[in-house]
Amino acid sequence: MVEWYTFSTASKRINKNRNYFINRYRKSPEYFEPDTIKILDGIKFISDDGIEHVLNKIKKMAAHVSSNSAFVVNY
């Protein structure tokens, strides 16, 4: 059975600010797989798989940005 959490509850579940997932959704909706989120009456819900997917995307992007900035040359 799939468990669903409001974005606020999911944020608290990973020890982040209650607005963590809603802010990520606003800035980067492409991080969220359509089958891992639901919107009911304007309230957004995310599954456990959705939480993991978003966190993995954020980690990959952070590593990508970090490795790219290692090659920046300032003149």
Side-chain angles (χ1 to χ4, degrees):
M1 184 171 154
V2 177
E3 294 219 23
W4 294 90
Y5 308 94
T6 63
F7 275 22
S8 177
T9 303
S11 298
K12 290 177 186 176
R13 185 174 166 88
I14 63 166
N15 297 318
K16 298 284 186 181
N17 176 294
R18 68 183 190 91
N19 295 322
Y20 183 80
F21 279 106
I22 194 66
N23 289 338
R24 295 297 154 260
Y25 186 76
R26 287 180 183 148
K27 291 179 183 177
S28 304
E30 68 276 8
Y31 287 5
F32 294 77
E33 292 291 316
D35 60 335
T36 63
I37 63 170
K38 291 183 181 182
I39 302 173
L40 302 171
D41 293 331
I43 301 170
K44 293 175 181 64
F45 294 85
I46 188 167
S47 67
D48 283 321
D49 289 341
I51 293 169
E52 289 300 318
H53 180 77
V54 171
L55 294 177
N56 286 334
K57 281 285 212 182
I58 291 170
K59 285 179 188 174
K60 286 179 184 176
M61 289 306 295
H64 179 71
V65 169
S66 173
S67 66
N68 281 344
S69 63
F71 298 104
V72 172
V73 177
N74 292 322
Y75 290 100

